[in-house]
Amino acid sequence: MTTPLLTVRDLSVQFHGNRVASALNQVSFELGQDEVLGLLGESGSGKSVTLRTLLRLHPARSTRIQGEIRVGGQDVLALKGRALDLYRGGTVSMVFQEPGLAFDPVYTIGRQITEAIRAHESIDARSAAARALQMLEMVQIPQARRRFDAYPHELSGGMRQRAMIALALACKPKLLLADEPTTALDATVQIQILLLLRELQRETGMSVIFVTHDIGAAVEVADRIAVMYAGRIVEQQPVDRIVHTPRHPYTEGLLAATVGPEHRGQPLRAIPGSPPDLAALPPGCSFAPRCAYVSEQCRRDRPPLLAADDQALACWHPVRGLVEAA
Amino acid sequence: MFAYILKRLIYAIPIALSVTVVSFILVYLAPGDPLSAIAPADAPEEVIIALRSAYGLDQPVPVQYGLWLMRAVQGDLGLSIATGREVTSEVMRAVGNTLLLAGFAALIGVIAGCLFGALAGYRHGSWIDRIATALSVIGVSIPHYWLGLVLTILFSIWRPWFPAMGAGPGGSSEWLWDLEHFRYLVLPAVTLSVIPMGIITRTVRALVADMLGQEFVSALRARGLSGVAVFRHVAKNTAPTVLAVAGLQIGYLMGGSILVETVFAWPGTGFLLNTAIFQRDIPLLQGTILVLCMFFVVLNLLVDILQPMIDPRMGRA
Ligand SMILES: Nc1ncnc2c1ncn2[C@@H]1O[C@H](COP(=O)(O)OP(=O)(O)OP(=O)(O)O)[C@@H](O)[C@H]1O
Ligand SMILES: [Mg+2]
């Protein structure tokens, strides 16, 4: 990996409400130019929080953010005012999980894309609209000209998600954050959207962070997978290796709990227990209460995230050691 | 859209008709004989009977209603028993004055309410929010006439900045657009604006706070829209509801200003209604109630028509 496009170092996010919830705990990872990172983890593990922090979308007053985020050399956490607005949607943009909720319901699709383009470039309304229409054609929306003047509620879910992607890519971002872009769609449409995203990524050479709890989808589009648990990254490996040689017990559990052709004939096993309360995390490894390989050390000391080449692991008793996996 | 407006108009007809029935009947349910107001107490029997038939009061009630309605449709609401003047012109002049007062009060109420509400919604939970909420509660619960008296004492007697009686110099009830007349408008309008201000503040605050928590506002920020641009979106999304609430409030102002108009001797419908009730002036009372109710019907109609023009999700379903 040459100089990474995105560097996240020791990123911690706490929400201060009635209780203090530590949604992210010292998350570190890097992402290269043209690379697709799959972010995997069960519900509540902090995937969306990670993406929202990258765009600084959390309410400033109730959120404490520590650590460092750099995108193309820019210190993201120090951005303010106009620079922050230009960064959002210009350098990094986002595709939301529920396209039905992510559009303003009272403006047409075309107007919203046009508006986003004009927020980033000094360009006249007509050329911006022309480009917005081009974007709709690029994401293969049938009858794009008609959809341009449609309101969000007039489109189907799949069509809306295509429009969302068109909007996200309209200002040629270097990094696209896709937060479970297919979860709200039905199965056939899911595959179409995944293929579209992969195709657009290859065409534009942008980097992508793809959040999902569907391992199949992650394998389809990602180069590398990072597994999150209770606000921490617990394991990272290139995609082709992680499915065959998971090293963290949690990853192994996730894979065992997945339905897929490669698991045909094997029993489907759910991970016992539930994720910990983020306001009262255990002192040691967060996964310890649910782990089959747990020891005294796991309950007492937090395992550090150790990185080697293209992989990383935070576990005292990995299913496979670094050497064995390499 | 045209079909929709037509449908709304047709729906409004039965409502308007029932309004006429109710305003006609209500007055007959009230106790007291209207003739006692005009005939001397010792008037001979023949005079009473003559007067009764002259005003049509000897006919059966449905016939009276039919005659009254036919004339009302043509704009003739009869003659005032107390003054002998045409009810229609009396009511219309009062309506003009009330509209002026209500319109100005609504303007103050809506502008201030939207401002405070938006501020409170944006700064949800802060001291600005608490002050705005407190003000809106006070605004809704404070008695009108009491506030009117306090404002009169403060700004008309203690600091004689604004007059507190009538709609113009020398007790004239003819409005003119000049500064002198405008000064007469200030105190009653401010008094009257307090309730809509409170209600609109609360509505806007709740709407804005809810809107800001919605995913699409995060998404707007994620697109790199500036704070002002995001606010434009929030405003357009809250506008239909605010419009509906404001429309109802203006309706209430039209009829709800009896006390304020009486306190400030403002020659509007409330004042007229008050006079008509105390003088048992049935034609005047009927005419005023009818016109006021029609205003509600028309206002609701307008709101119904305007709302889907702003919010594309409504009306097409
Ligand atoms: N603004 C906030 N205030 C308080 N807690 C929050 C806030 N946003 C997220 N959280 C908490 O942070 C935790 C992580 O949430 P997050 O949305 O990142 O999960 P996720 O991994 O995206 O899950 P899912 O797969 O369900 O989308 C959750 O427990 C959530 O309740
Ligand atoms: Mg999520």
Side-chain angles (χ1 to χ4, degrees), chain B residues 59-226:
Chain B
Q59 309 269 352
V61 171
V63 175
Q64 286 189 38
Y65 168 73
L67 289 173
W68 176 76
L69 182 64
M70 281 226 300
R71 285 200 305 260
V73 170
Q74 293 160 17
D76 176 10
L77 293 170
L79 299 180
S80 159
I81 292 181
T83 63
R85 280 191 288 211
E86 270 191 43
V87 170
T88 310
S89 66
E90 291 274 290
V91 175
M92 281 308 154
R93 176 137 38 95
V95 162
N97 287 330
T98 292
L99 269 183
L100 184 75
L101 178 59
F104 199 64
L107 197 69
I108 301 175
V110 171
I111 290 177
C114 286
L115 199 72
F116 292 153
L119 269 177
Y122 257 84
R123 293 265 167 272
H124 197 67
S126 70
W127 59 270
I128 298 180
D129 182 19
R130 261 173 250 138
I131 290 178
T133 307
L135 277 180
S136 71
V137 171
I138 294 172
V140 172
S141 35
I142 206 166
H144 263 146
Y145 55 89
W146 182 82
L147 180 66
L149 292 176
V150 169
L151 288 181
T152 304
I153 292 169
L154 285 181
F155 300 111
S156 193
I157 298 171
W158 180 55
R159 286 287 126 96
W161 293 337
F162 301 105
M165 291 294 272
S172 88
S173 59
E174 285 305 319
W175 176 260
L176 288 173
W177 289 101
D178 60 19
L179 197 66
E180 190 47 43
H181 280 77
F182 190 75
R183 287 178 55 234
Y184 281 80
L185 186 55
V186 173
L187 288 186
V190 168
T191 307
L192 203 54
S193 73
V194 167
I195 284 188
M197 177 160 34
I199 289 177
I200 290 170
T201 300
R202 283 166 55 158
T203 310
V204 171
R205 170 185 178 268
L207 282 172
V208 167
D210 168 72
M211 204 64 79
L212 290 179
Q214 284 191 20
E215 184 81 339
F216 87 83
V217 174
S218 291
L220 291 173
R221 296 213 171 99
R223 285 173 212 174
L225 298 192
S226 65

Side-chain angles (χ1 to χ4, degrees), chain A residues 52 55 57 61 85 88-89 92 94 96 101-107 112 115-116 119-120 151 153-154 167, chain B residues 122-124 126 215-216 218-227 229 232-233 236-237 310-313 316:
Chain A
R52 283 168 178 270
L55 275 177
L57 289 179
R61 282 188 304 149
D85 290 342
R88 289 169 169 168
V92 178
M94 179 134 151
F96 288 79
L101 301 179
F103 277 109
D104 183 336
V106 304
Y107 285 85
Q112 295 192 50
E115 183 187 28
H120 289 91
Y151 287 96
H153 71 277
E154 295 171 332
L167 173 68
Chain B
Y122 257 84
R123 293 265 167 272
H124 197 67
S126 70
E215 184 81 339
F216 87 83
S218 291
L220 291 173
R221 296 213 171 99
R223 285 173 212 174
L225 298 192
S226 65
R232 231 185 354 251
H233 282 263
K236 188 160 178 192
N237 275 276
I310 298 182
D311 189 336
R313 285 166 303 179
R316 297 198 184 196

Side-chain angles (χ1 to χ4, degrees), chain B residues 27-28 30-59 64 79-82 276-283:
Chain B
V27 175
Y28 274 85
D33 185 348
L35 287 181
S36 64
I38 38 172
D42 55 354
E45 189 70 9
E46 309 89 78
V47 175
I48 301 272
I49 290 173
L51 275 174
R52 204 177 287 275
S53 77
Y55 282 99
L57 295 172
D58 54 349
Q59 309 269 352
Q64 286 189 38
L79 299 180
S80 159
I81 292 181
I277 291 170
F278 278 107
Q279 299 182 336
R280 292 228 173 73
D281 194 339
I282 286 193

Side-chain angles (χ1 to χ4, degrees), chain A residues 11 24 27 29 39 46-54 228:
Chain A
L11 185 67
L24 287 191
V27 167
F29 65 94
L39 206 52
K47 308 178 301 281
S48 298
V49 171
T50 307
L51 297 196
R52 283 168 178 270
T53 310
L54 288 178
M228 283 193 89

Side-chain angles (χ1 to χ4, degrees), chain B residues 210-263:
Chain B
D210 168 72
M211 204 64 79
L212 290 179
Q214 284 191 20
E215 184 81 339
F216 87 83
V217 174
S218 291
L220 291 173
R221 296 213 171 99
R223 285 173 212 174
L225 298 192
S226 65
V228 177
V230 173
F231 179 73
R232 231 185 354 251
H233 282 263
V234 171
K236 188 160 178 192
N237 275 276
T238 48
T241 317
V242 175
L243 189 76
V245 174
L248 277 181
Q249 288 307 309
I250 295 172
Y252 288 132
L253 288 188
M254 289 299 309
S257 54
I258 298 179
L259 289 175
V260 174
E261 289 188 357
T262 307
V263 166

Side-chain angles (χ1 to χ4, degrees), chain A residues 18 64-65 201 225 288 313:
Chain A
N18 298 334
R64 276 251 320 271
I65 302 179
Q201 189 273 330
I225 284 181
L313 180 67

